[in-house]
Amino acid sequence: MSSSSRPSAEFHDHSTMVSQNPSPKLKPGNNTPSAVLPVDSPIDSIDLEAATVNEEKHSSRHHETPLERRTSAVNEAWPTPELEANPELMKEAIKEEKDVFLVTFDDNDPLDPKNWSKLYRWYLTFASSLLVLNASFASSAPSGMLPPIMSHFEMSQIEGTLTISLFLLGYCVGPFLWAPTSEQIGRRPMFIVGFLGYFILQIACAVAPNTAALLVFRFLGGCFAACPLTNSGAVLGDIWDNEQRGSATAIFTLSPFAGPSAGPLVAGALMTSNVSWQWLFWILSIFAGICWIMIIVSIPETYGPVILVQKAKALRASTGDPRYKAALELNEVSFAKKLGRILGRPWKIFFVEPMLVIITLYMSFVYGLLYLLFLAYPVVFVQGHGFNGLESGLTFLPIFIGGIMAVFLYLYVFAPIYLKVSQAHDGKAPPESRLPMAQWGGPILAISMFWFGWTSYPWINYWVPVVSGLGLGLSVVLLFLSLFNYIIDAYLPVAASALASSTVVRSAFGAGFPLFGKQMYETLDPRIASTVLAACTLLLVPVPFVFEKYGPAIRKRSKYGLST
């Protein structure tokens, strides 16, 4: 071991090791996979800080040496703090025994998701976005159908609001399972199980016999719907490198806002058509079923360490040699310990990373504000302007259009700027290069909230507050594009777990804000309520400016984040 303050984990590269100690079943030069790299003994100096896996290595594997590939494979499968804190894991990872062949990706390996065709990766991006659109659409859909639902079950206003809040509360529970488990057994199994449960629970909502059953089914539906919300973003990190992922994320980030915006519109159209409220959940069931079939048919495993486990198993089966091991297989522990690691990882990360906490609180406030508008808009447009359900649903369209504007703004303004920064840093742009979008988005959000509030008088033409939705959608998507990418860039080795803890807190805000939103806008009136919210938004505006300046210094002291 190295005498440095961090445990050493740099593999010695003995290029002759394969010929010195080959598998008896695979002789060198006779179809020996170049990705099967023997772990030599003694391995006494793995520098985890210097060798932490990053996307730039994945995007140019043909430039990696065998040493770099071995080091990347271990560090991608096992975050640095877990190697530091677990001596047994460290011992297994550096593997002092000679007879172990570490399986990694070959140069230009077709099994490596980052080497798949660009067309297919874009398909997976749109498919992942559709899964998130599905889940987020279900979250807000009942808001446009509340009157008939409340009438059928004889609900109070609070109980009606809980059909939205409890679904979002499910988002707080689901990520504990879906995200960290995906880092152990893969994304695809989680998508299959998660969407099947989500599909069944939409049917259950449609046939719910009473209020309690409907609320329980909505909560459980949110737990299962949290699967795409936490894992779809990680899929983008699996298949795209730094420079390309930004454009993919721009498309993806629109989904969490397109879904909630579409929910009230569809529900309002159904209510105006005088169809049964059950049809809302039947539509959600059909949509979920189609997406589940799409997952089964066309979405493969994308998580590199799990693909390498499958590759190692195939090599062991074809050769009969048990020495082929993927990095994720190096530490065999009991089920209880593995479960504890899976469930505890998101919060171990969250509570030791103050930067992640602050960014999460910023995103959570914005997310809660978005869901509060689903109850504030009816106060302004139904009570104030006399709109019906369909007309009220249409008022959410500008939020979606504003989100589309943000995507184009990213693709044609911010992405080229980021590309220049990346090229100036040899393809390794610092995470802080993602923050300019948030620096613009924060002030635009505050201005839009003032605009919406102080033009919400019934005697002012309804188009004026409606158009404020363009600024709301533009700012929210800019903020999420910026901060979402920043989290992935800064915490890439544990991106799914970092996003999971962030999603839990964000969803708690989304669940809580609707509970007081309607009362807040009715009691304070829309002008004062919007002013209070805009003032809170102004207090958060400096956050991306602070992290742009101090982020690199903070990341150098980070346990889980990338220091470079």
Side-chain angles (χ1 to χ4, degrees), residues 379-387 452-465 525-527:
V379 173
V380 172
F381 296 109
V382 176
Q383 297 180 16
H385 290 279
F387 283 13
F452 170 68
W454 289 96
T455 60
S456 60
Y457 289 101
W459 48 267
I460 294 179
N461 188 285
Y462 62 83
W463 276 108
V464 181
D525 84 44
R527 275 69 61 190

Side-chain angles (χ1 to χ4, degrees), residues 68-311:
E68 290 173 326
R69 289 203 300 272
R70 292 201 299 270
T71 306
S72 294
V74 170
N75 285 289
E76 185 174 11
W78 301 106
T80 299
E82 292 187 11
L83 286 172
E84 292 176 342
N86 188 338
E88 290 301 317
L89 176 58
M90 173 64 73
K91 181 179 178 180
E92 290 285 343
I94 64 177
K95 207 66 182 178
E96 294 175 356
E97 296 90 335
K98 293 182 179 181
D99 293 333
V100 174
F101 290 84
L102 187 65
V103 178
T104 71
F105 288 119
D106 296 328
D107 294 339
N108 300 314
D109 195 328
L111 292 178
D112 184 356
K114 288 186 172 67
N115 290 332
W116 295 347
S117 74
K118 182 172 288 189
L119 179 62
Y120 186 53
R121 284 182 288 152
W122 272 112
Y123 166 75
L124 292 178
T125 299
F126 281 105
S128 299
S129 301
L130 183 63
L131 299 182
V132 175
L133 175 68
N134 192 323
S136 59
F137 170 62
S139 68
S140 66
S143 67
M145 208 69 168
L146 279 183
I149 293 175
M150 292 170 61
S151 175
H152 178 85
F153 290 108
E154 298 181 353
M155 291 179 172
S156 66
Q157 179 64 48
I158 292 295
E159 289 173 328
T161 304
L162 284 174
T163 60
I164 299 172
S165 292
L166 285 177
F167 192 92
L168 294 172
L169 193 61
Y171 286 175
C172 300
V173 177
F176 285 114
L177 175 64
W178 306 119
T181 306
S182 78
E183 293 172 341
Q184 297 294 315
I185 65 175
R187 319 288 192 206
R188 177 176 163 84
M190 295 299 97
F191 280 135
I192 292 173
V193 174
F195 245 85
L196 178 61
Y198 171 66
F199 165 65
I200 293 171
L201 286 161
Q202 300 317 300
I203 297 175
C205 288
V207 299
N210 51 52
T211 298
L214 178 63
L215 295 180
V216 169
F217 294 149
R218 283 290 290 172
F219 169 72
L220 293 176
C223 293
F224 281 88
C227 176
L229 261 66
T230 50
N231 286 345
S232 292
V235 168
L236 301 192
D238 295 338
I239 64 177
W240 297 105
D241 60 28
N242 253 9
E243 294 179 355
Q244 295 173 314
R245 195 189 66 243
S247 298
T249 307
I251 305 297
F252 172 81
T253 306
L254 193 58
S255 300
F257 308 103
S261 299
L265 175 59
V266 173
L270 292 174
M271 190 170 69
T272 303
S273 302
N274 294 318
V275 300
S276 169
W277 63 269
Q278 285 94 341
W279 265 106
L280 175 65
F281 293 104
W282 288 123
I283 290 173
L284 291 174
S285 302
I286 294 169
F287 192 9
I290 292 172
C291 286
W292 185 71
I293 293 172
M294 180 188 70
I295 293 169
I296 295 292
V297 172
S298 66
I299 298 183
E301 182 55 59
T302 63
Y303 187 47
V306 170
I307 295 174
L308 290 175
V309 169
Q310 297 168 355
K311 184 174 183 177

Side-chain angles (χ1 to χ4, degrees), residues 376 379-380 383 452-458 517-533:
V379 173
V380 172
Q383 297 180 16
F452 170 68
W454 289 96
T455 60
S456 60
Y457 289 101
K518 183 177 176 65
Q519 295 86 336
M520 180 180 182
Y521 268 76
E522 287 180 339
T523 303
L524 297 179
D525 84 44
R527 275 69 61 190
I528 302 302
S530 295
T531 299
V532 170
L533 294 171

Side-chain angles (χ1 to χ4, degrees), residues 165 172 208 251 268 345 410 428 515:
S165 292
C172 300
I251 305 297
R345 181 185 288 177
Y410 173 81
K428 300 178 181 180
L515 294 176

